[in-house]
Short mmCIF file of all heavy atoms in Angstrom, two decimals:
data_model
loop_
_atom_site.label_atom_id
_atom_site.label_comp_id
_atom_site.label_asym_id
_atom_site.label_seq_id
_atom_site.Cartn_x
_atom_site.Cartn_y
_atom_site.Cartn_z
N MET A 1 48.29 -77.67 -29.26
CA MET A 1 47.50 -76.78 -28.58
C MET A 1 46.65 -75.91 -29.58
O MET A 1 45.46 -75.82 -29.33
CB MET A 1 48.38 -75.74 -27.79
CG MET A 1 47.74 -74.74 -27.01
SD MET A 1 47.00 -75.51 -25.58
CE MET A 1 47.28 -74.36 -24.34
N LYS A 2 47.15 -75.45 -30.67
CA LYS A 2 46.40 -74.83 -31.73
C LYS A 2 45.41 -75.70 -32.37
O LYS A 2 44.25 -75.23 -32.72
CB LYS A 2 47.27 -74.18 -32.72
CG LYS A 2 48.03 -73.00 -32.30
CD LYS A 2 48.78 -72.37 -33.42
CE LYS A 2 49.60 -71.15 -32.87
NZ LYS A 2 50.36 -70.58 -33.90
N THR A 3 45.57 -76.97 -32.47
CA THR A 3 44.50 -77.86 -33.04
C THR A 3 43.43 -78.01 -32.16
O THR A 3 42.33 -78.23 -32.65
CB THR A 3 45.30 -79.17 -33.56
OG1 THR A 3 46.45 -79.53 -32.64
CG2 THR A 3 45.81 -79.16 -34.90
N GLU A 4 43.71 -78.19 -30.85
CA GLU A 4 42.65 -78.30 -29.89
C GLU A 4 41.74 -77.18 -29.91
O GLU A 4 40.39 -77.32 -29.97
CB GLU A 4 43.18 -78.57 -28.51
CG GLU A 4 43.97 -79.87 -28.33
CD GLU A 4 44.55 -79.92 -26.99
OE1 GLU A 4 44.44 -78.99 -26.18
OE2 GLU A 4 45.39 -80.76 -26.77
N GLN A 5 42.27 -75.95 -29.98
CA GLN A 5 41.60 -74.75 -30.02
C GLN A 5 40.65 -74.67 -31.40
O GLN A 5 39.60 -74.34 -31.36
CB GLN A 5 42.42 -73.56 -29.91
CG GLN A 5 41.58 -72.22 -29.74
CD GLN A 5 42.51 -71.06 -29.53
OE1 GLN A 5 43.81 -71.14 -29.69
NE2 GLN A 5 41.93 -69.92 -29.14
N ALA A 6 41.27 -75.08 -32.44
CA ALA A 6 40.67 -75.12 -33.73
C ALA A 6 39.44 -76.11 -33.78
O ALA A 6 38.36 -75.72 -34.32
CB ALA A 6 41.56 -75.31 -34.95
N GLU A 7 39.71 -77.13 -33.12
CA GLU A 7 38.71 -78.16 -33.06
C GLU A 7 37.45 -77.65 -32.16
O GLU A 7 36.33 -77.81 -32.46
CB GLU A 7 39.13 -79.48 -32.53
CG GLU A 7 38.19 -80.57 -32.42
CD GLU A 7 37.74 -81.13 -33.71
OE1 GLU A 7 38.41 -80.78 -34.75
OE2 GLU A 7 36.68 -81.84 -33.75
N LEU A 8 37.77 -76.85 -31.11
CA LEU A 8 36.73 -76.41 -30.23
C LEU A 8 35.82 -75.31 -30.94
O LEU A 8 34.70 -75.24 -30.82
CB LEU A 8 37.26 -75.78 -28.94
CG LEU A 8 37.89 -76.76 -27.98
CD1 LEU A 8 38.60 -76.16 -26.77
CD2 LEU A 8 36.62 -77.70 -27.44
N LEU A 9 36.52 -74.49 -31.80
CA LEU A 9 35.89 -73.50 -32.53
C LEU A 9 35.00 -74.09 -33.59
O LEU A 9 33.97 -73.76 -33.99
CB LEU A 9 36.97 -72.56 -33.08
CG LEU A 9 37.56 -71.51 -32.16
CD1 LEU A 9 38.62 -70.78 -32.97
CD2 LEU A 9 36.59 -70.64 -31.54
N ARG A 10 35.44 -75.15 -34.27
CA ARG A 10 34.65 -75.93 -35.33
C ARG A 10 33.43 -76.54 -34.69
O ARG A 10 32.34 -76.28 -35.25
CB ARG A 10 35.59 -77.01 -35.93
CG ARG A 10 34.83 -77.73 -37.03
CD ARG A 10 35.73 -78.86 -37.60
NE ARG A 10 35.77 -80.03 -36.57
CZ ARG A 10 34.66 -80.86 -36.60
NH1 ARG A 10 33.60 -80.82 -37.28
NH2 ARG A 10 34.67 -81.78 -35.73
N ILE A 11 33.55 -77.14 -33.44
CA ILE A 11 32.35 -77.71 -32.79
C ILE A 11 31.34 -76.53 -32.37
O ILE A 11 30.14 -76.77 -32.64
CB ILE A 11 32.79 -78.56 -31.66
CG1 ILE A 11 33.53 -79.86 -32.17
CG2 ILE A 11 31.67 -78.93 -30.79
CD1 ILE A 11 34.20 -80.69 -31.19
N LYS A 12 32.03 -75.55 -31.85
CA LYS A 12 31.04 -74.40 -31.55
C LYS A 12 30.33 -73.86 -32.74
O LYS A 12 29.06 -73.50 -32.61
CB LYS A 12 31.94 -73.31 -30.81
CG LYS A 12 31.05 -72.11 -30.40
CD LYS A 12 32.00 -71.07 -29.69
CE LYS A 12 31.18 -69.87 -29.26
NZ LYS A 12 32.08 -68.81 -28.55
N TYR A 13 30.93 -73.75 -33.82
CA TYR A 13 30.40 -73.26 -35.12
C TYR A 13 29.23 -74.19 -35.53
O TYR A 13 28.16 -73.70 -35.90
CB TYR A 13 31.43 -73.04 -36.21
CG TYR A 13 30.90 -72.65 -37.58
CD1 TYR A 13 30.38 -71.31 -37.72
CD2 TYR A 13 30.61 -73.57 -38.44
CE1 TYR A 13 29.85 -70.94 -38.92
CE2 TYR A 13 30.05 -73.23 -39.80
CZ TYR A 13 29.72 -71.90 -39.91
OH TYR A 13 29.08 -71.52 -41.14
N LEU A 14 29.52 -75.40 -35.46
CA LEU A 14 28.46 -76.42 -35.86
C LEU A 14 27.25 -76.35 -34.98
O LEU A 14 26.14 -76.40 -35.49
CB LEU A 14 29.08 -77.87 -35.80
CG LEU A 14 30.07 -78.19 -36.78
CD1 LEU A 14 30.76 -79.54 -36.50
CD2 LEU A 14 29.43 -78.16 -38.21
N TYR A 15 27.42 -76.28 -33.63
CA TYR A 15 26.22 -76.13 -32.85
C TYR A 15 25.48 -74.77 -32.98
O TYR A 15 24.32 -74.75 -32.80
CB TYR A 15 26.82 -76.14 -31.29
CG TYR A 15 26.82 -77.63 -30.76
CD1 TYR A 15 28.01 -78.28 -30.69
CD2 TYR A 15 25.62 -78.32 -30.54
CE1 TYR A 15 28.00 -79.57 -30.16
CE2 TYR A 15 25.68 -79.55 -29.85
CZ TYR A 15 26.87 -80.20 -29.69
OH TYR A 15 26.84 -81.47 -29.35
N ARG A 16 26.21 -73.74 -33.30
CA ARG A 16 25.67 -72.48 -33.65
C ARG A 16 24.71 -72.58 -34.84
O ARG A 16 23.64 -72.24 -34.86
CB ARG A 16 26.79 -71.42 -33.89
CG ARG A 16 26.18 -69.96 -34.16
CD ARG A 16 27.27 -69.12 -34.32
NE ARG A 16 26.85 -67.75 -34.02
CZ ARG A 16 26.25 -67.02 -35.03
NH1 ARG A 16 25.92 -67.47 -36.12
NH2 ARG A 16 25.84 -65.84 -34.69
N GLN A 17 25.24 -73.24 -35.86
CA GLN A 17 24.43 -73.53 -37.07
C GLN A 17 23.27 -74.34 -36.79
O GLN A 17 22.13 -74.14 -37.35
CB GLN A 17 25.32 -74.11 -38.17
CG GLN A 17 26.28 -73.29 -38.74
CD GLN A 17 25.84 -71.97 -39.33
OE1 GLN A 17 24.84 -72.02 -39.99
NE2 GLN A 17 26.47 -70.81 -38.81
N LEU A 18 23.33 -75.38 -36.00
CA LEU A 18 22.22 -76.29 -35.66
C LEU A 18 21.14 -75.46 -34.82
O LEU A 18 20.00 -75.62 -35.13
CB LEU A 18 22.68 -77.40 -34.85
CG LEU A 18 23.40 -78.51 -35.56
CD1 LEU A 18 24.04 -79.56 -34.66
CD2 LEU A 18 22.57 -79.23 -36.61
N LEU A 19 21.63 -74.57 -33.99
CA LEU A 19 20.59 -73.80 -33.16
C LEU A 19 19.88 -72.80 -34.14
O LEU A 19 18.65 -72.61 -34.10
CB LEU A 19 21.41 -72.97 -32.16
CG LEU A 19 21.56 -73.53 -30.82
CD1 LEU A 19 22.51 -72.65 -29.97
CD2 LEU A 19 20.10 -73.69 -30.17
N LEU A 20 20.66 -72.07 -35.03
CA LEU A 20 20.07 -71.11 -35.95
C LEU A 20 18.97 -71.72 -36.96
O LEU A 20 18.06 -71.24 -37.29
CB LEU A 20 20.99 -70.32 -36.68
CG LEU A 20 21.89 -69.48 -35.64
CD1 LEU A 20 23.08 -68.75 -36.56
CD2 LEU A 20 21.04 -68.37 -35.03
N ARG A 21 19.27 -72.93 -37.26
CA ARG A 21 18.38 -73.73 -38.25
C ARG A 21 17.19 -74.50 -37.42
O ARG A 21 16.59 -75.22 -37.97
CB ARG A 21 19.24 -74.75 -39.05
CG ARG A 21 20.09 -74.16 -39.96
CD ARG A 21 20.91 -75.08 -40.81
NE ARG A 21 21.89 -74.44 -41.62
CZ ARG A 21 22.94 -74.85 -42.01
NH1 ARG A 21 23.28 -76.18 -41.61
NH2 ARG A 21 23.84 -74.24 -42.82
N ARG A 22 17.23 -74.30 -36.07
CA ARG A 22 16.31 -74.92 -35.32
C ARG A 22 16.18 -76.44 -35.32
O ARG A 22 15.26 -77.11 -35.22
CB ARG A 22 14.81 -74.36 -35.65
CG ARG A 22 14.85 -72.89 -35.28
CD ARG A 22 13.53 -72.33 -35.66
NE ARG A 22 13.61 -70.86 -35.59
CZ ARG A 22 12.88 -70.11 -34.75
NH1 ARG A 22 12.08 -70.76 -33.99
NH2 ARG A 22 12.93 -68.83 -34.89
N LYS A 23 17.46 -77.04 -35.50
CA LYS A 23 17.64 -78.42 -35.59
C LYS A 23 17.78 -79.09 -34.11
O LYS A 23 17.47 -80.17 -33.79
CB LYS A 23 18.80 -78.89 -36.34
CG LYS A 23 18.70 -78.48 -37.81
CD LYS A 23 17.72 -79.24 -38.54
CE LYS A 23 17.80 -78.88 -40.03
NZ LYS A 23 16.94 -79.54 -40.83
N ILE A 24 18.29 -78.10 -33.18
CA ILE A 24 18.36 -78.55 -31.74
C ILE A 24 17.76 -77.47 -30.87
O ILE A 24 17.77 -76.18 -31.36
CB ILE A 24 19.78 -78.84 -31.44
CG1 ILE A 24 20.59 -77.64 -31.56
CG2 ILE A 24 20.44 -80.06 -32.06
CD1 ILE A 24 22.05 -77.82 -31.04
N LYS A 25 17.47 -77.77 -29.74
CA LYS A 25 17.00 -76.86 -28.74
C LYS A 25 17.89 -76.85 -27.47
O LYS A 25 18.09 -77.92 -27.06
CB LYS A 25 15.46 -77.20 -28.44
CG LYS A 25 14.81 -76.13 -27.76
CD LYS A 25 14.08 -75.33 -28.72
CE LYS A 25 13.03 -74.31 -28.20
NZ LYS A 25 13.07 -73.13 -28.96
N LEU A 26 18.28 -75.70 -27.15
CA LEU A 26 18.95 -75.62 -25.79
C LEU A 26 18.14 -74.66 -24.77
O LEU A 26 17.41 -73.82 -25.36
CB LEU A 26 20.44 -74.93 -25.97
CG LEU A 26 21.40 -75.84 -26.80
CD1 LEU A 26 22.62 -75.10 -26.91
CD2 LEU A 26 21.74 -77.13 -25.96
N PRO A 27 18.51 -74.72 -23.48
CA PRO A 27 17.96 -73.70 -22.79
C PRO A 27 18.44 -72.27 -23.13
O PRO A 27 19.57 -72.17 -23.66
CB PRO A 27 18.50 -74.03 -21.34
CG PRO A 27 18.82 -75.53 -21.42
CD PRO A 27 19.25 -75.71 -22.77
N HIS A 28 17.56 -71.28 -22.86
CA HIS A 28 17.91 -69.96 -23.41
C HIS A 28 19.23 -69.48 -22.98
O HIS A 28 19.95 -68.83 -23.75
CB HIS A 28 16.82 -68.92 -22.93
CG HIS A 28 16.94 -67.53 -23.54
ND1 HIS A 28 17.60 -66.60 -22.81
CD2 HIS A 28 16.50 -66.99 -24.64
CE1 HIS A 28 17.53 -65.54 -23.47
NE2 HIS A 28 16.98 -65.74 -24.63
N ARG A 29 19.67 -69.61 -21.72
CA ARG A 29 20.87 -69.10 -21.18
C ARG A 29 22.09 -69.68 -21.90
O ARG A 29 23.01 -69.05 -22.22
CB ARG A 29 20.97 -69.55 -19.71
CG ARG A 29 22.33 -68.96 -19.10
CD ARG A 29 22.24 -69.23 -17.54
NE ARG A 29 21.33 -68.18 -17.01
CZ ARG A 29 21.12 -68.07 -15.79
NH1 ARG A 29 21.48 -68.91 -14.91
NH2 ARG A 29 20.31 -67.13 -15.30
N ASP A 30 21.89 -70.99 -22.24
CA ASP A 30 23.09 -71.76 -22.97
C ASP A 30 23.16 -71.25 -24.34
O ASP A 30 24.21 -70.99 -24.98
CB ASP A 30 22.93 -73.26 -22.88
CG ASP A 30 23.09 -73.82 -21.45
OD1 ASP A 30 23.73 -72.99 -20.58
OD2 ASP A 30 22.46 -74.71 -21.12
N ALA A 31 22.03 -71.07 -24.96
CA ALA A 31 21.97 -70.65 -26.41
C ALA A 31 22.56 -69.17 -26.45
O ALA A 31 23.24 -68.89 -27.37
CB ALA A 31 20.59 -70.61 -26.95
N ALA A 32 22.25 -68.27 -25.51
CA ALA A 32 22.74 -66.92 -25.45
C ALA A 32 24.25 -66.97 -25.33
O ALA A 32 24.93 -66.07 -26.00
CB ALA A 32 22.11 -66.13 -24.36
N ARG A 33 24.78 -67.80 -24.65
CA ARG A 33 26.37 -67.88 -24.47
C ARG A 33 26.89 -68.40 -25.75
O ARG A 33 27.94 -67.98 -26.13
CB ARG A 33 26.63 -68.86 -23.35
CG ARG A 33 26.47 -68.19 -22.03
CD ARG A 33 26.88 -69.15 -20.85
NE ARG A 33 27.92 -69.86 -20.98
CZ ARG A 33 28.17 -71.14 -20.61
NH1 ARG A 33 27.36 -71.56 -19.54
NH2 ARG A 33 29.26 -71.69 -20.67
N LEU A 34 26.19 -69.26 -26.61
CA LEU A 34 26.72 -69.75 -27.71
C LEU A 34 26.58 -68.96 -29.09
O LEU A 34 27.56 -68.74 -29.78
CB LEU A 34 26.04 -71.14 -28.01
CG LEU A 34 26.61 -72.09 -29.02
CD1 LEU A 34 28.11 -72.34 -28.87
CD2 LEU A 34 25.88 -73.30 -29.33
N ILE A 35 25.39 -68.32 -29.16
CA ILE A 35 25.12 -67.56 -30.22
C ILE A 35 24.91 -66.01 -30.03
O ILE A 35 24.75 -65.28 -31.06
CB ILE A 35 23.82 -68.05 -31.09
CG1 ILE A 35 22.58 -67.90 -30.23
CG2 ILE A 35 24.05 -69.47 -31.61
CD1 ILE A 35 21.32 -68.33 -30.93
N GLY A 36 24.98 -65.72 -28.79
CA GLY A 36 24.87 -64.26 -28.49
C GLY A 36 23.51 -63.93 -27.94
O GLY A 36 22.64 -64.54 -28.52
N PRO A 37 23.35 -62.97 -27.14
CA PRO A 37 21.97 -62.73 -26.51
C PRO A 37 20.93 -62.26 -27.49
O PRO A 37 19.79 -62.54 -27.41
CB PRO A 37 22.24 -61.63 -25.48
CG PRO A 37 23.63 -61.08 -25.83
CD PRO A 37 24.34 -62.14 -26.55
N ASP A 38 21.38 -61.44 -28.56
CA ASP A 38 20.41 -60.90 -29.54
C ASP A 38 19.87 -61.93 -30.42
O ASP A 38 18.69 -61.99 -30.54
CB ASP A 38 21.07 -59.83 -30.45
CG ASP A 38 21.54 -58.59 -29.61
OD1 ASP A 38 20.97 -58.31 -28.42
OD2 ASP A 38 22.29 -57.76 -30.14
N CYS A 39 20.67 -62.84 -30.87
CA CYS A 39 20.12 -63.84 -31.75
C CYS A 39 19.39 -64.86 -30.98
O CYS A 39 18.28 -65.34 -31.38
CB CYS A 39 21.24 -64.81 -32.31
SG CYS A 39 22.22 -63.79 -33.63
N ALA A 40 19.78 -65.15 -29.63
CA ALA A 40 18.97 -66.02 -28.81
C ALA A 40 17.55 -65.43 -28.51
O ALA A 40 16.58 -66.15 -28.48
CB ALA A 40 19.79 -66.38 -27.45
N TYR A 41 17.53 -64.08 -28.28
CA TYR A 41 16.25 -63.53 -27.96
C TYR A 41 15.25 -63.74 -29.18
O TYR A 41 14.14 -63.96 -28.87
CB TYR A 41 16.48 -61.94 -27.73
CG TYR A 41 15.13 -61.21 -27.48
CD1 TYR A 41 14.48 -61.26 -26.24
CD2 TYR A 41 14.58 -60.44 -28.52
CE1 TYR A 41 13.29 -60.61 -26.06
CE2 TYR A 41 13.44 -59.77 -28.40
CZ TYR A 41 12.84 -59.83 -27.16
OH TYR A 41 11.61 -59.20 -27.06
N HIS A 42 15.73 -63.41 -30.34
CA HIS A 42 14.90 -63.61 -31.50
C HIS A 42 14.56 -65.14 -31.79
O HIS A 42 13.41 -65.37 -32.25
CB HIS A 42 15.62 -62.84 -32.72
CG HIS A 42 15.57 -61.48 -32.60
ND1 HIS A 42 14.44 -60.59 -32.58
CD2 HIS A 42 16.70 -60.59 -32.37
CE1 HIS A 42 14.82 -59.40 -32.46
NE2 HIS A 42 16.15 -59.40 -32.40
N LEU A 43 15.44 -65.92 -31.66
CA LEU A 43 15.31 -67.32 -31.75
C LEU A 43 14.26 -67.87 -30.99
O LEU A 43 13.45 -68.71 -31.30
CB LEU A 43 16.50 -68.05 -31.63
CG LEU A 43 16.77 -69.54 -32.02
CD1 LEU A 43 16.39 -69.55 -33.50
CD2 LEU A 43 17.99 -70.15 -31.70
N TYR A 44 14.23 -67.49 -29.52
CA TYR A 44 13.30 -67.98 -28.64
C TYR A 44 12.09 -67.14 -28.42
O TYR A 44 11.23 -67.36 -27.69
CB TYR A 44 14.04 -68.25 -27.31
CG TYR A 44 14.97 -69.46 -27.31
CD1 TYR A 44 16.22 -69.31 -27.78
CD2 TYR A 44 14.47 -70.58 -27.03
CE1 TYR A 44 17.09 -70.36 -27.88
CE2 TYR A 44 15.30 -71.80 -27.09
CZ TYR A 44 16.61 -71.67 -27.37
OH TYR A 44 17.39 -72.80 -27.49
N SER A 45 12.01 -66.00 -29.17
CA SER A 45 10.73 -65.04 -28.98
C SER A 45 9.46 -65.83 -29.21
O SER A 45 8.39 -65.49 -28.64
CB SER A 45 11.04 -63.95 -29.74
OG SER A 45 10.93 -64.11 -31.10
N ASP A 46 9.41 -66.73 -30.22
CA ASP A 46 8.18 -67.33 -30.62
C ASP A 46 8.08 -68.65 -29.92
O ASP A 46 7.12 -69.52 -30.20
CB ASP A 46 8.07 -67.38 -32.12
CG ASP A 46 9.21 -68.25 -32.76
OD1 ASP A 46 10.14 -68.68 -32.06
OD2 ASP A 46 8.97 -68.66 -33.83
N TYR A 47 8.88 -69.04 -29.04
CA TYR A 47 8.77 -70.36 -28.33
C TYR A 47 7.73 -70.46 -27.47
O TYR A 47 7.61 -69.56 -26.44
CB TYR A 47 10.16 -70.60 -27.70
CG TYR A 47 10.17 -71.88 -26.84
CD1 TYR A 47 10.18 -73.12 -27.39
CD2 TYR A 47 10.20 -71.81 -25.49
CE1 TYR A 47 10.16 -74.27 -26.66
CE2 TYR A 47 10.24 -72.92 -24.65
CZ TYR A 47 10.11 -74.13 -25.27
OH TYR A 47 10.17 -75.24 -24.51
N LYS A 48 6.96 -71.42 -27.45
CA LYS A 48 5.77 -71.76 -26.47
C LYS A 48 6.09 -73.10 -25.94
O LYS A 48 6.03 -73.91 -26.58
CB LYS A 48 4.56 -71.57 -27.24
CG LYS A 48 4.23 -70.24 -27.69
CD LYS A 48 2.88 -70.18 -28.53
CE LYS A 48 2.74 -68.81 -29.05
NZ LYS A 48 2.15 -68.73 -30.38
N PRO A 49 6.27 -73.10 -24.62
CA PRO A 49 6.39 -74.35 -23.89
C PRO A 49 5.21 -75.28 -24.05
O PRO A 49 4.08 -74.81 -24.03
CB PRO A 49 6.74 -73.93 -22.46
CG PRO A 49 6.28 -72.62 -22.26
CD PRO A 49 6.16 -72.00 -23.61
N LYS A 50 5.41 -76.57 -24.01
CA LYS A 50 4.30 -77.49 -24.17
C LYS A 50 3.57 -77.50 -22.83
O LYS A 50 4.11 -77.27 -21.59
CB LYS A 50 4.86 -78.93 -24.36
CG LYS A 50 5.42 -79.08 -25.74
CD LYS A 50 5.91 -80.54 -25.84
CE LYS A 50 6.75 -80.62 -27.23
NZ LYS A 50 7.23 -81.85 -27.24
N GLU A 51 2.16 -77.63 -22.84
CA GLU A 51 1.41 -77.62 -21.80
C GLU A 51 1.70 -78.99 -21.09
O GLU A 51 1.65 -80.07 -21.74
CB GLU A 51 -0.05 -77.53 -22.00
CG GLU A 51 -0.26 -76.03 -22.51
CD GLU A 51 -1.87 -75.87 -22.75
OE1 GLU A 51 -2.59 -76.49 -22.10
OE2 GLU A 51 -2.14 -75.07 -23.49
N THR A 52 1.82 -78.98 -19.80
CA THR A 52 2.07 -80.22 -18.97
C THR A 52 0.62 -80.70 -18.58
O THR A 52 -0.38 -80.08 -18.31
CB THR A 52 2.81 -79.96 -17.67
OG1 THR A 52 2.17 -79.06 -16.94
CG2 THR A 52 4.30 -79.48 -18.01
N GLU A 53 0.57 -82.04 -18.52
CA GLU A 53 -0.72 -82.80 -18.15
C GLU A 53 -0.85 -82.68 -16.75
O GLU A 53 0.11 -82.82 -15.84
CB GLU A 53 -0.76 -84.18 -18.71
CG GLU A 53 -0.69 -84.37 -20.19
CD GLU A 53 -0.80 -85.67 -20.68
OE1 GLU A 53 -1.22 -86.57 -19.80
OE2 GLU A 53 -0.29 -85.99 -21.78
N LYS A 54 -2.04 -82.44 -16.25
CA LYS A 54 -2.32 -82.43 -14.86
C LYS A 54 -3.05 -83.54 -14.32
O LYS A 54 -3.78 -84.25 -15.10
CB LYS A 54 -3.12 -81.18 -14.46
CG LYS A 54 -2.44 -79.84 -14.62
CD LYS A 54 -3.19 -78.66 -14.33
CE LYS A 54 -2.39 -77.40 -14.44
NZ LYS A 54 -3.10 -76.27 -14.20
#
């Protein structure tokens, strides 16, 4: 049981680092749950969605 929890925390930490280094992109809501709302706000503040072709 403790090893499963430790593994989940390790994976969560790895994803957090990837997000903060901008190696991966997640929807804002998911990122806020993973790294906290303040960090997610600053991380996505300069994000501009790609224009879709019409």
Side-chain angles (χ1 to χ4, degrees):
M1 186 72 140
K2 287 185 180 182
T3 31
E4 292 174 8
Q5 188 177 13
E7 183 67 15
L8 289 174
L9 288 174
R10 185 185 73 80
I11 291 171
K12 183 178 177 181
Y13 176 78
L14 290 175
Y15 272 104
R16 185 179 197 281
Q17 292 302 313
L18 288 173
L19 268 171
L20 293 175
R21 292 181 184 152
R22 298 176 190 246
K23 301 286 184 180
I24 60 172
K25 194 94 167 140
L26 289 178
H28 185 268
R29 181 174 288 178
D30 296 334
R33 286 181 32 209
L34 190 61
I35 62 176
D38 293 342
C39 287
Y41 175 79
H42 292 292
L43 188 64
Y44 286 87
S45 64
D46 62 346
Y47 172 72
K48 295 178 182 141
K50 295 180 183 177
E51 292 184 25
T52 58
E53 294 181 22
K54 294 184 180 180

